[in-house]
Amino acid sequence: MTTHTNTWFYYLLFILFSLVNIPIEAQDAQGEKPNFIIIFADDLGYGDLSSYGHPSIKTPYLDRMAEEGQKWTNFYVAASVCTPSRAAILTGRLPVRSGMASSKRRVLFPDSKGGLPASEITLAEHLKSAGYNTACIGKWHLGHKDAFLPTTHGFDYYFGIPYSNDMDRTSQLPYREYLMQADEKIKTEDFNVPLYRNTEIIERPVNQNTITKRYSEETINYIKEHKKSPFFVYLAHNLPHVPLFVSEEYKGKSARGLYGDIIEEIDAGVGDIMNFLEEEGLAENTILVFTSDNGPWLTFKEKGGSAGLLRAGKGTTWEGGMREPALFWGPGTIKPGLRHDLGSSMDLFVTFSKMAGLEVPTDREMDGVDISGTLLNGNPSTRKSILYYRGTEIYAVRIGKYKAHYITQGEYGEFGKREEHEPPILYNLDTDPSEQFELTGDYTDVLNEFDLILEQHNAKLVKGKDQLVERE
Ligand code: MG
């Protein structure tokens, strides 16, 4: 062969090699790196699913996740209200570190100037560095200014509302008076909340009647388009946060009333996603998680959910405020079983990073731990304690079965009388999950353990600049 032919020969060989290799590489990547879907409900309580004991709400698909996957009974979020809880699940860090918790305002509002700082690394951003396609579908609530939208935080795609569905209210009635009216008097057009696609507002006011269904559909469409490479979808439903809205198809279906209709519509969407994953052969390589951002909004009576046997609800550091249903599904991947281990929404960052072959950031304090040993092999969870923050203060701590309350307070405003406890009120959550019976007697050793945990935590704590306080 002449030199000239040689060059062509090798060139052709190179092209053939590349052609053969592209699909193999893509397949390998798909085979090695699991896909992740987190479904995050809003204000859904510990007792709101039939698999967690609700007697009249039917959730067959979530129950199927529980049966075929792992159902956790001691799984916590990092805050009992929206904004800080969302910051924590996406960063694997306590919201006090990012400034997404405040002692002045509990969440972001449409007049807020702040948001999740660019210096924070979200799970989406982190997974992107390992080649993931990432989508945020649903409620964001981590800053609605351009600088803070999901697309600035590692999400390739965003379809959703930037803050809560009860904001931008146009009715002249006082907030609570309006919301406590009969269901048929609550209109979706009374909330001038925008719906975004990426950085554009595409609908305002968003039609909240159809939003639950649309979020589930968007999720399936996104996966359809990105199933060839690993993907991460964060599906954060607006509901069942008040005001309550449901599509015609689900209206009047549940014995629990409108609230139940909504849970059942969310459940149906979970079923559609599971079925789709199975049809596409993606189920074995996808971890599907279902949990909620905080406990039920009890002061809204039947319009709020149920914490089951847990005490109190949203806004508090009682169990009902921060312990949530948590279901993990992945046939052949997630080891089925009922888990009484401690877990936290912040653990998802660390766990999924590890499963994607990524190191966890070492330039900052992380509050999540790796629970993949529990999820994949059924080993005991590596998490030993839970810190219950309200705003920027620790109100309570759980170590193993014991929980100590240093400060207790009701939900909001008129309902929220603050009391400090020295020594702390102690409960045994194994024998008394409803926090009804204060432990008396000598618990010096137990209390010393609490002191040590708090000392270690506080010694390393750097509070982020308050992002919730500044308003326009
Ligand atoms: Mg919430």
Side-chain angles (χ1 to χ4, degrees):
M1 274 194 281
T2 63
T3 320
H4 184 73
T5 338
N6 251 342
T7 316
W8 274 106
F9 176 71
Y10 284 117
Y11 183 63
L12 274 172
L13 207 66
F14 172 72
I15 289 182
L16 271 171
F17 186 76
S18 313
L19 280 175
V20 169
N21 258 296
I22 287 167
I24 290 173
E25 270 174 14
Q27 228 172 30
D28 277 350
Q30 177 69 1
E32 282 164 13
K33 292 192 174 115
N35 308 305
F36 303 108
I37 305 171
I38 298 175
I39 305 180
F40 208 36
D42 195 348
D43 294 5
L44 178 144
Y46 188 80
D48 280 328
L49 309 183
S50 41
S51 42
Y52 281 79
H54 201 285
S56 53
I57 298 177
K58 292 183 189 140
T59 50
Y61 296 105
L62 289 160
D63 300 349
R64 193 185 147 202
M65 281 182 74
E67 233 172 79
E68 296 176 1
Q70 283 188 13
K71 171 186 162 184
W72 289 54
T73 59
N74 286 283
F75 194 89
Y76 290 85
V77 286
S80 63
V81 289
C82 291
T83 297
S85 176
R86 283 152 207 272
I89 195 172
L90 286 180
T91 61
R93 280 153 57 80
L94 285 164
V96 67
R97 299 191 198 277
S98 55
M100 295 300 279
S102 165
S103 54
K104 309 244 168 38
R105 272 187 133 183
R106 302 197 74 179
V107 297
L108 290 167
F109 288 89
D111 67 351
S112 296
K113 282 169 116 174
L116 187 68
S119 55
E120 290 297 318
I121 302 170
T122 67
L123 180 56
E125 202 176 337
H126 205 42
L127 290 173
K128 252 187 100 57
S129 70
Y132 277 71
N133 286 298
T134 54
C136 171
I137 291 158
K139 172 172 163 179
W140 179 237
H141 217 180
L142 295 174
H144 57 278
K145 297 284 176 196
D146 288 351
F148 304 115
L149 287 175
T151 44
T152 69
H153 274 298
F155 287 101
D156 299 325
Y157 180 66
Y158 173 44
F159 178 85
I161 66 169
Y163 36 70
S164 293
N165 62 333
D166 63 340
M167 294 177 177
D168 291 333
R169 214 165 49 85
T170 52
S171 159
Q172 297 307 308
L173 286 178
Y175 178 77
R176 204 179 150 74
E177 192 183 323
Y178 176 88
L179 281 170
M180 287 306 287
Q181 298 179 101
D183 291 336
E184 55 276 12
K185 293 207 164 153
I186 314 288
K187 303 279 182 225
T188 181
E189 51 280 13
D190 289 346
F191 301 85
N192 194 30
V193 175
L195 176 70
Y196 279 74
R197 193 183 299 280
N198 297 317
T199 54
E200 303 295 322
I201 293 175
I202 57 166
E203 188 178 307
R204 188 169 197 171
V206 57
N207 182 347
Q208 296 199 45
N209 293 311
T210 55
I211 200 67
T212 301
K213 192 181 177 57
R214 284 191 282 168
Y215 283 163
S216 299
E217 285 168 0
E218 281 281 329
T219 301
I220 290 171
N221 287 338
Y222 186 83
I223 299 170
K224 214 177 261 175
E225 283 165 25
H226 298 91
K227 63 185 180 191
K228 291 224 160 53
S229 47
F231 58 82
F232 165 50
V233 181
Y234 169 64
L235 163 55
H237 281 292
N238 302 352
L239 291 153
H241 188 297
V242 292
L244 304 179
F245 296 106
V246 77
S247 69
E248 281 303 317
E249 198 185 332
Y250 285 87
K251 198 173 272 177
K253 267 204 147 186
S254 171
R256 168 65 176 82
L258 180 55
Y259 185 90
D261 294 343
I262 291 166
I263 306 299
E264 294 183 13
E265 184 164 35
I266 289 174
D267 180 71
V270 172
D272 290 344
I273 293 167
M274 289 166 84
N275 291 336
F276 175 75
L277 292 173
E278 286 183 318
E279 283 160 23
E280 297 288 327
L282 293 165
E284 279 75 19
N285 199 37
T286 302
I287 310 285
L288 177 66
V289 188
F290 180 89
T291 188
S292 173
D293 69 333
N294 53 251
W297 209 344
L298 298 175
T299 51
F300 280 102
K301 302 184 176 169
E302 292 101 314
K303 293 166 189 276
S306 164
L309 52 44
L310 303 180
R311 182 164 172 176
K314 174 176 179 170
T316 77
T317 46
W318 296 102
E319 289 298 290
M322 292 171 66
R323 202 196 294 198
E324 285 298 328
L327 301 166
F328 294 84
W329 184 77
T333 310
I334 299 291
K335 186 159 187 175
L338 175 63
R339 303 302 313 190
H340 296 301
D341 308 67
L342 287 188
S344 161
S345 61
M346 295 183 290
D347 300 339
L348 302 183
F349 185 109
V350 176
T351 305
F352 293 170
S353 296
K354 288 273 165 70
M355 290 171 80
L358 285 164
E359 288 306 317
V360 172
T362 51
D363 63 342
R364 60 198 67 209
E365 283 293 326
M366 297 298 293
D367 297 291
V369 299
D370 180 8
I371 57 168
S372 60
T374 315
L375 295 177
L376 307 180
N377 307 314
N379 301 334
S381 167
T382 47
R383 174 169 286 281
K384 302 291 173 238
S385 63
I386 299 289
L387 298 176
Y388 302 70
Y389 265 91
R390 176 171 173 141
T392 55
E393 272 183 301
I394 292 176
Y395 271 45
V397 182
R398 175 173 183 176
I399 304 174
K401 62 186 175 186
Y402 293 110
K403 179 176 177 186
H405 289 267
Y406 297 85
I407 310 169
T408 51
Q409 192 171 0
E411 191 184 285
Y412 283 100
E414 62 189 287
F415 308 102
K417 191 169 152 271
R418 175 192 162 107
E419 277 182 85
E420 293 186 18
H421 308 280
E422 175 55 46
I425 306 175
L426 203 60
Y427 293 103
N428 177 336
L429 293 178
D430 278 354
T431 56
D432 178 24
S434 309
E435 299 174 284
Q436 295 298 305
F437 314 112
E438 271 181 50
L439 293 176
T440 52
D442 185 11
Y443 286 91
T444 313
D445 291 349
V446 175
L447 290 174
N448 287 344
E449 253 189 275
F450 280 99
D451 286 346
L452 189 68
I453 288 255
L454 282 171
E455 233 170 77
Q456 286 170 345
H457 174 75
N458 290 330
K460 285 193 283 186
L461 179 65
V462 180
K463 291 185 181 181
K465 181 180 171 281
D466 189 335
Q467 294 292 322
L468 311 189
V469 71
E470 270 191 81
R471 46 178 103 186
E472 291 181 308

PDB file of all heavy atoms in Angstrom, residues 41-43 81-82 86 139 241 293-294 314, ligand 1:
ATOM      1  N   ALA A  41     -43.858  15.689  47.081  1.00  0.00           N
ATOM      2  CA  ALA A  41     -45.177  16.305  47.243  1.00  0.00           C
ATOM      3  C   ALA A  41     -45.037  17.526  48.146  1.00  0.00           C
ATOM      4  O   ALA A  41     -44.019  17.711  48.805  1.00  0.00           O
ATOM      5  CB  ALA A  41     -46.144  15.301  47.848  1.00  0.00           C
ATOM      6  N   ASP A  42     -46.071  18.359  48.190  1.00  0.00           N
ATOM      7  CA  ASP A  42     -46.017  19.582  48.999  1.00  0.00           C
ATOM      8  C   ASP A  42     -47.056  19.513  50.119  1.00  0.00           C
ATOM      9  O   ASP A  42     -48.263  19.465  49.850  1.00  0.00           O
ATOM     10  CB  ASP A  42     -46.281  20.795  48.102  1.00  0.00           C
ATOM     11  CG  ASP A  42     -45.874  22.095  48.777  1.00  0.00           C
ATOM     12  OD1 ASP A  42     -45.604  22.085  49.992  1.00  0.00           O
ATOM     13  OD2 ASP A  42     -45.828  23.126  48.083  1.00  0.00           O
ATOM     14  N   ASP A  43     -46.599  19.500  51.346  1.00  0.00           N
ATOM     15  CA  ASP A  43     -47.481  19.487  52.531  1.00  0.00           C
ATOM     16  C   ASP A  43     -48.251  18.174  52.694  1.00  0.00           C
ATOM     17  O   ASP A  43     -49.289  18.143  53.358  1.00  0.00           O
ATOM     18  CB  ASP A  43     -48.479  20.659  52.529  1.00  0.00           C
ATOM     19  CG  ASP A  43     -47.815  22.023  52.668  1.00  0.00           C
ATOM     20  OD1 ASP A  43     -46.565  22.082  52.671  1.00  0.00           O
ATOM     21  OD2 ASP A  43     -48.539  23.035  52.773  1.00  0.00           O
ATOM     22  N   VAL A  81     -41.107  23.649  56.627  1.00  0.00           N
ATOM     23  CA  VAL A  81     -41.767  24.492  55.624  1.00  0.00           C
ATOM     24  C   VAL A  81     -40.994  24.403  54.303  1.00  0.00           C
ATOM     25  O   VAL A  81     -39.859  23.918  54.267  1.00  0.00           O
ATOM     26  CB  VAL A  81     -41.873  25.976  56.074  1.00  0.00           C
ATOM     27  CG1 VAL A  81     -42.895  26.138  57.194  1.00  0.00           C
ATOM     28  CG2 VAL A  81     -40.530  26.526  56.510  1.00  0.00           C
ATOM     29  N   CYS A  82     -41.660  24.914  53.235  1.00  0.00           N
ATOM     30  CA  CYS A  82     -41.198  24.666  51.860  1.00  0.00           C
ATOM     31  C   CYS A  82     -39.759  25.053  51.534  1.00  0.00           C
ATOM     32  O   CYS A  82     -38.943  24.190  51.211  1.00  0.00           O
ATOM     33  CB  CYS A  82     -42.101  25.412  50.884  1.00  0.00           C
ATOM     34  SG  CYS A  82     -43.755  24.746  50.801  1.00  0.00           S
ATOM     35  N   ARG A  86     -36.682  22.402  50.615  1.00  0.00           N
ATOM     36  CA  ARG A  86     -36.276  22.202  49.218  1.00  0.00           C
ATOM     37  C   ARG A  86     -34.790  22.474  49.023  1.00  0.00           C
ATOM     38  O   ARG A  86     -34.105  21.780  48.270  1.00  0.00           O
ATOM     39  CB  ARG A  86     -37.115  23.107  48.300  1.00  0.00           C
ATOM     40  CG  ARG A  86     -38.494  22.552  48.101  1.00  0.00           C
ATOM     41  CD  ARG A  86     -39.559  23.587  47.827  1.00  0.00           C
ATOM     42  NE  ARG A  86     -40.820  23.033  48.286  1.00  0.00           N
ATOM     43  CZ  ARG A  86     -41.614  22.278  47.531  1.00  0.00           C
ATOM     44  NH1 ARG A  86     -41.343  22.059  46.267  1.00  0.00           N
ATOM     45  NH2 ARG A  86     -42.715  21.771  48.034  1.00  0.00           N
ATOM     46  N   LYS A 139     -42.839  22.757  41.415  1.00  0.00           N
ATOM     47  CA  LYS A 139     -42.603  23.943  42.249  1.00  0.00           C
ATOM     48  C   LYS A 139     -41.133  24.073  42.613  1.00  0.00           C
ATOM     49  O   LYS A 139     -40.520  23.122  43.090  1.00  0.00           O
ATOM     50  CB  LYS A 139     -43.452  23.815  43.508  1.00  0.00           C
ATOM     51  CG  LYS A 139     -43.184  24.874  44.565  1.00  0.00           C
ATOM     52  CD  LYS A 139     -44.212  24.748  45.661  1.00  0.00           C
ATOM     53  CE  LYS A 139     -43.787  25.475  46.924  1.00  0.00           C
ATOM     54  NZ  LYS A 139     -44.813  25.363  47.965  1.00  0.00           N
ATOM     55  N   HIS A 241     -50.647  21.238  48.766  1.00  0.00           N
ATOM     56  CA  HIS A 241     -50.585  22.538  49.453  1.00  0.00           C
ATOM     57  C   HIS A 241     -51.875  23.306  49.108  1.00  0.00           C
ATOM     58  O   HIS A 241     -52.291  23.292  47.950  1.00  0.00           O
ATOM     59  CB  HIS A 241     -49.349  23.270  48.921  1.00  0.00           C
ATOM     60  CG  HIS A 241     -48.986  24.549  49.612  1.00  0.00           C
ATOM     61  ND1 HIS A 241     -49.805  25.647  49.613  1.00  0.00           N
ATOM     62  CD2 HIS A 241     -47.881  24.894  50.308  1.00  0.00           C
ATOM     63  CE1 HIS A 241     -49.203  26.624  50.286  1.00  0.00           C
ATOM     64  NE2 HIS A 241     -48.035  26.191  50.728  1.00  0.00           N
ATOM     65  N   ASP A 293     -42.272  17.542  51.217  1.00  0.00           N
ATOM     66  CA  ASP A 293     -41.353  18.577  51.724  1.00  0.00           C
ATOM     67  C   ASP A 293     -41.537  18.908  53.198  1.00  0.00           C
ATOM     68  O   ASP A 293     -40.617  19.378  53.857  1.00  0.00           O
ATOM     69  CB  ASP A 293     -41.487  19.864  50.896  1.00  0.00           C
ATOM     70  CG  ASP A 293     -42.821  20.575  51.109  1.00  0.00           C
ATOM     71  OD1 ASP A 293     -43.818  19.899  51.455  1.00  0.00           O
ATOM     72  OD2 ASP A 293     -42.866  21.801  50.932  1.00  0.00           O
ATOM     73  N   ASN A 294     -42.737  18.678  53.717  1.00  0.00           N
ATOM     74  CA  ASN A 294     -43.009  18.947  55.140  1.00  0.00           C
ATOM     75  C   ASN A 294     -44.363  18.362  55.498  1.00  0.00           C
ATOM     76  O   ASN A 294     -45.110  17.924  54.616  1.00  0.00           O
ATOM     77  CB  ASN A 294     -42.953  20.455  55.469  1.00  0.00           C
ATOM     78  CG  ASN A 294     -43.838  21.308  54.583  1.00  0.00           C
ATOM     79  OD1 ASN A 294     -43.365  22.062  53.737  1.00  0.00           O
ATOM     80  ND2 ASN A 294     -45.157  21.189  54.739  1.00  0.00           N
ATOM     81  N   LYS A 314     -47.085  20.680  59.805  1.00  0.00           N
ATOM     82  CA  LYS A 314     -46.271  21.698  59.126  1.00  0.00           C
ATOM     83  C   LYS A 314     -45.927  22.867  60.039  1.00  0.00           C
ATOM     84  O   LYS A 314     -46.758  23.316  60.822  1.00  0.00           O
ATOM     85  CB  LYS A 314     -47.066  22.226  57.922  1.00  0.00           C
ATOM     86  CG  LYS A 314     -46.423  23.387  57.196  1.00  0.00           C
ATOM     87  CD  LYS A 314     -47.215  23.776  55.972  1.00  0.00           C
ATOM     88  CE  LYS A 314     -46.570  24.973  55.271  1.00  0.00           C
ATOM     89  NZ  LYS A 314     -47.161  25.227  53.953  1.00  0.00           N
TER      90      LYS A 314
HETATM   91 MG    MG B   1     -44.612  22.532  51.785  1.00  0.00          MG
END
